[in-house]
Every structure is written in C-alpha cells, then in structure tokens.
Amino acid sequence: MITGVERVNTGLDAVFNNHIIQQLYQCRGWQIGYDEHCTYEKDSPYYTDNKLEDIFSDSGMLLQSYNYEQPDHINHQSFKLNVLGNLIFDIVIKKQTKYNFKNIKPLRFLWNYYNRSSCGVAHIDYIKENTGSITYYLNTCDAFTFICDEQVNCVAGTAAIFKSDSLHRGTGPVDSKNKFMLNIVFLYE
C-alpha cells in the first residue's frame, strides 16, 4: 500500500524532456482543465480567500493520451505519446525504492500544461483500492504540486508517487514561462 509521497529522480535528461514538450506543442485536443471548486480551512495549503476564477484564468490544460476505460481513444498522436508515457512509467517504477509493486499497469496518461495565469484546483485522481499516481515533470520551473500537505517542486526529470485518492493540486509558474508534466494513474498489487 502506498503511504506518503516518494520523490524519484529518473535520470531522464533535458534532450528527452524537450523532445516530449515539442511533441506536446504539436498535439491537437488540449482541453481547458476544470475541477469543481472546493472550500478549505484557513490553515490548509489549498485555502484561498478569493474565488479561483477571480485570480486565475484557468486550471491548466489537459491532454489525455491513454485511458484504459476508453481504448478507442488511441490515435496516431496518442500512440507516440503513450510510447513515451510508458517509458517514463517504467523508469519511475524501476527507480523508486519504497514499494514492491506487483502486476502493475497504467490506467491513464494525462499530460498537463500550466501558464502563469493557471492554478489547479485540489482534486483526487482515482478512487479505487490499489491505485497510485505519478506526477512527472518535463521542465524545471517555479511552480509546485501540493500533495496532501507536501509541496513538490517542479524539477525536470523528477517524479512523485502517491496514492491516487490523495488530495492534490498543481500551480502555474510565477516567473517561469510554463509548466509541463505528465500525470499517470496505475493499478498495482
């Protein structure tokens, strides 16, 4: 069972990550992210005294290239991204040291893009026993991902593993131009 947040350095370099970013720039089908807005206690890292719509323009952009529940969704564009997503997934699982996963399989690849006016809303990825989530960062920037009460910095080539039913949210960058990442949901024994 997954507990807490494990950070993983994949060793994947800027050439690899920039290749994926260039692929993502050319992809059709990006959607403006929208998660239902929630209210939080003042001491929560998710708390804001303003409505998110009043401060930020969007919750980022999303591009789903794989979902095991929608096998017909795959096309030529998705195929390329899924090869890259599977490679990242395999490397993160092999490089992590905290868990002894068995019979693992990806359930979803969701590519994320944030700009300076984006701010994600706290959400969970999946509610099912034995599911985990991975956030993999394609570029280094001054944005974060908050997972439960932990702040994860966006450093290219690194990933975080956590339970899929953990409350988390991404932020857009402040000074950096953008943030690219991959969110993977997986099933394990």
Side-chain angles (χ1 to χ4, degrees):
M1 173 178 244
I2 298 175
T3 57
V5 178
E6 180 182 6
R7 294 179 176 133
V8 178
N9 185 343
T10 65
L12 294 170
D13 66 9
V15 172
F16 177 80
N17 290 320
N18 288 335
H19 172 76
I20 295 174
I21 290 170
Q22 292 308 310
Q23 293 292 311
L24 292 171
Y25 275 131
Q26 298 172 28
C27 288
R28 297 179 187 165
W30 285 93
Q31 298 176 339
I32 296 174
Y34 181 81
D35 291 309
E36 291 196 26
H37 297 273
C38 306
T39 57
Y40 304 98
E41 299 299 319
K42 285 194 175 197
D43 60 347
S44 167
Y46 305 107
Y47 175 77
T48 177
D49 56 358
N50 299 32
K51 290 182 181 175
L52 288 174
E53 310 76 44
D54 295 341
I55 314 170
F56 303 104
S57 72
D58 58 69
S59 314
M61 300 284 289
L62 309 171
L63 179 68
Q64 182 173 264
S65 65
Y66 175 73
N67 186 328
Y68 85 104
E69 293 175 340
Q70 300 169 338
D72 295 339
H73 178 75
I74 296 175
N75 56 38
H76 178 69
Q77 167 183 290
S78 296
F79 179 78
K80 286 188 203 177
L81 292 175
N82 291 341
V83 168
L84 296 165
N86 271 305
L87 180 61
I88 292 166
F89 176 62
D90 289 345
I91 290 170
V92 170
I93 295 300
K94 284 182 174 97
K95 295 251 180 172
Q96 65 83 30
T97 59
K98 195 171 179 182
Y99 307 105
N100 186 21
F101 296 122
K102 293 183 178 19
N103 298 321
I104 58 170
K105 70 175 184 178
L107 300 179
R108 184 188 76 189
F109 294 145
L110 187 65
W111 305 87
N112 293 230
Y113 167 84
Y114 293 84
N115 62 47
R116 291 182 194 125
S117 62
S118 303
C119 185
V121 176
H123 64 281
I124 59 173
D125 286 338
Y126 205 76
I127 302 175
K128 186 174 181 179
E129 203 59 35
N130 295 334
T131 56
S133 289
I134 296 170
T135 54
Y136 173 78
Y137 302 97
L138 293 164
N139 65 322
T140 298
C141 64
D142 61 346
F144 310 102
T145 302
F146 291 99
I147 304 169
C148 297
D149 290 331
E150 284 194 50
Q151 177 179 305
V152 177
N153 295 330
C154 298
V155 178
T158 65
I161 301 174
F162 55 97
K163 282 181 63 174
S164 289
D165 63 357
S166 298
L167 193 63
H168 64 285
R169 77 173 177 92
T171 69
V174 176
D175 293 318
S176 303
K177 188 173 166 183
N178 53 39
K179 168 185 171 182
F180 281 97
M181 59 174 284
L182 170 61
N183 174 258
I184 301 169
V185 176
F186 65 99
L187 184 65
Y188 66 91
E189 289 181 12

